[in-house]
Amino acid sequence: MSVERFEIFKSQDLQNGYFDISFMIDGRQIYAHKLMLASISDVFKRMISDVWNNPGEPIEIETYSYNIFYEFLTFIYSGKCKLDNENIFIMVDLSEFYHVKSLQQKCDEYLSQKEYNAENIPLFFEELSKYFKSLPLFVKAIFTAIKNNHPNFVEFEIQLIRFENRFATEEKIFKKIFQWAEHQAIAKRDELNEKSFNLNDAIKSEIAPFLPYIEFKKMKLYFLHTFVVKRGFIFSYDKLSDILENSKSDFKVKVKNENNQTLSCILPRDSNVIKDIISIKYSRAVNGFPNNWLYWEEATFKYPSLPSQMKRRDDVEWYLIYYKDGRLGIRSPSLIDEDFYLIAEMSAETCAFELSEKCVIEID
């Protein structure tokens, strides 16, 4: 029956075959059968319902050409289609858009058998990178080719690392690359066995091609300070200053007492509160009995005109707040009312925390 339906489809003869759906492409119609399309694609199933299309009217296809769409429907009827360098990208796109898994697999097999080199890797990578999840054989083939063409494809090497570690942070990716560069430099040092060998210069030389493709400005400031800054030989002073100044990571706010007990919260980098916190670094704290509220007295700020989007919760340990008079402070939830602007929920990093007049607030 499938063979018969395919023969009827190829004939496109309305008199000799019963068609119950049609597509209008480039001013021409292609006739088909709802049953065939709906059985292989949930997208087609929705498309041919009355919700998507008025019964009897052709479905307009504007994204694809007549010949390409006809080849696509041919595959749905017969399981076969012509794949070549001219149509492979758009056939992958069709298979992805209409959720035709069998065509995805056929495209994947075709792509995995191609020869990849310095001339065609950039094109295939750019066109198909968004479909990597659906093309595992292709991914394996092209990344093997990228590794073989190193160091000419450093940008793609970074993409490879990101793809293979897709849930890793930018910090972990940089650590991985740095460790690789360090390993390469140590191996070179051991091979040369020269007393004058400079390990830092060798690491910098190995890692330099990767640096333009690493997104340092997305990294946490803590990591930049403790891992990148400490390895000052990687960047010039000006470049390092630019990275730190333009980091888009969030800030950690800490409140410490004289016993090194600590409260903390996270605030967005662009928060106006950050500037206020920096300005009260040396202000004296005033706390009240029984140690459940505190404010820094020497600086006042503009009380926000819009209400806080945060809702008070009794299970929160402490809140960072603005008092009505514009002072910045800490308060327990039991003493929070409409006169206080809630900035952030704070929690103790140590086993306990006690407010005192020696509390200092700082940005980590």
Side-chain angles (χ1 to χ4, degrees):
M1 290 177 65
S2 295
V3 172
E4 289 177 359
R5 285 199 188 96
F6 179 44
E7 292 299 324
I8 293 171
F9 167 75
K10 284 199 302 181
S11 74
Q12 290 291 295
D13 187 346
L14 293 179
Q15 294 183 349
N16 296 326
Y18 172 72
F19 298 100
D20 53 7
I21 188 171
S22 66
F23 300 91
M24 181 66 72
I25 312 164
D26 299 336
R28 302 164 64 188
Q29 280 186 268
I30 302 178
Y31 299 95
H33 303 90
K34 291 181 180 180
L35 177 64
M36 289 296 295
L37 304 185
S39 64
I40 201 169
S41 165
D42 57 343
V43 176
F44 270 131
K45 189 174 183 179
R46 294 194 302 270
M47 208 172 179
I48 62 182
S49 70
D50 290 344
V51 176
W52 277 55
N53 188 57
N54 294 326
E57 291 186 7
I59 298 174
E60 292 277 351
I61 303 294
E62 299 178 352
T63 310
Y64 308 104
S65 70
Y66 179 92
N67 290 337
I68 285 291
F69 203 77
Y70 181 86
E71 195 70 30
F72 172 57
L73 294 181
T74 295
F75 177 83
I76 290 178
Y77 275 87
S78 67
K80 300 177 182 179
C81 67
K82 179 184 176 183
L83 295 178
D84 53 39
N85 290 341
E86 300 298 323
N87 70 8
I88 185 60
F89 298 143
I90 201 160
M91 293 302 282
V92 169
D93 187 72
L94 274 163
S95 69
E96 188 81 14
F97 181 81
Y98 288 101
H99 299 174
V100 182
K101 192 171 183 63
S102 53
L103 182 56
Q104 288 176 341
Q105 293 170 345
K106 187 174 182 67
C107 291
D108 193 21
E109 290 172 5
Y110 173 85
L111 289 163
S112 69
Q113 295 168 10
K114 286 189 64 63
E115 294 263 342
Y116 296 103
N117 51 46
E119 286 71 36
N120 63 15
I121 284 176
L123 173 63
F124 278 87
F125 198 97
E126 181 180 353
E127 292 289 339
L128 298 175
S129 58
K130 61 183 176 182
Y131 305 119
F132 277 177
K133 290 183 180 179
S134 304
L135 304 170
L137 299 178
F138 163 70
V139 168
K140 183 178 179 181
I142 198 166
F143 280 153
T144 299
I146 289 170
K147 288 179 179 178
N148 293 338
N149 280 276
H150 179 78
N152 297 323
F153 292 95
V154 172
E155 181 180 2
F156 301 125
E157 280 284 320
I158 292 287
Q159 296 279 22
L160 166 61
I161 293 168
R162 286 202 176 103
F163 181 77
E164 291 179 338
N165 302 271
R166 66 196 75 177
F167 299 113
T169 61
E170 203 68 17
E171 292 89 340
K172 288 183 178 179
I173 288 172
F174 178 67
K175 264 190 175 182
K176 185 180 181 72
I177 294 171
F178 183 87
Q179 289 164 358
W180 170 85
E182 188 176 43
H183 175 78
Q184 294 292 102
I186 290 172
K188 184 177 291 186
R189 180 196 63 187
D190 294 344
E191 180 184 350
L192 295 174
N193 195 24
E194 294 177 354
K195 290 184 179 180
S196 61
F197 187 89
N198 188 309
L199 184 60
N200 286 350
D201 284 349
I203 294 172
K204 184 176 180 178
S205 177
E206 293 288 346
I207 205 171
F210 293 92
L211 296 181
Y213 307 105
I214 299 172
E215 300 181 56
F216 288 97
K217 293 177 183 179
K218 287 186 177 180
M219 294 179 183
K220 300 289 184 185
L221 278 174
Y222 176 79
F223 176 82
L224 289 172
H225 281 294
T226 58
F227 193 89
V228 180
V229 173
K230 283 188 175 181
R231 292 159 178 82
F233 60 87
I234 300 176
F235 295 106
S236 67
Y237 176 80
D238 289 341
K239 180 62 178 176
L240 192 56
S241 296
D242 178 66
I243 290 173
L244 293 172
E245 185 178 347
N246 293 287
S247 171
K248 293 182 174 61
S249 60
D250 295 337
F251 281 115
K252 190 173 190 178
V253 177
K254 286 186 175 182
V255 175
K256 293 182 180 179
N257 63 20
E258 66 270 29
N259 298 317
N260 284 324
Q261 296 173 331
T262 306
L263 288 179
S264 67
C265 67
I266 301 295
L267 290 179
R269 179 182 177 81
D270 57 358
S271 171
N272 290 328
V273 184
I274 297 297
K275 297 177 182 178
D276 293 346
I277 291 173
I278 292 172
S279 71
I280 64 169
K281 185 173 183 179
Y282 301 107
S283 294
R284 189 171 73 90
V286 176
N287 74 302
F289 181 83
N291 286 339
N292 53 11
W293 60 266
L294 172 149
Y295 63 80
W296 286 272
E297 68 171 353
E298 295 173 24
T300 58
F301 309 101
K302 184 178 180 181
Y303 189 87
S305 57
L306 297 176
S308 173
Q309 298 300 305
M310 188 171 293
K311 302 298 181 183
R312 183 185 70 84
R313 297 192 296 125
D314 291 333
D315 58 339
V316 173
E317 297 178 71
W318 301 94
Y319 279 97
L320 179 65
I321 64 165
Y322 282 119
Y323 285 82
K324 198 68 177 178
D325 62 5
R327 289 186 172 91
L328 195 69
I330 308 293
R331 209 166 179 90
S332 69
S334 61
L335 298 178
I336 297 289
D337 58 35
E338 64 273 6
D339 289 333
F340 306 104
Y341 183 91
L342 303 184
I343 299 170
E345 299 174 353
M346 303 199 78
S347 57
E349 292 189 352
T350 49
C351 58
F353 182 83
E354 205 170 302
L355 294 178
S356 74
E357 292 184 358
K358 293 185 178 182
C359 281
V360 295
I361 188 168
E362 60 187 23
I363 306 296
D364 190 352

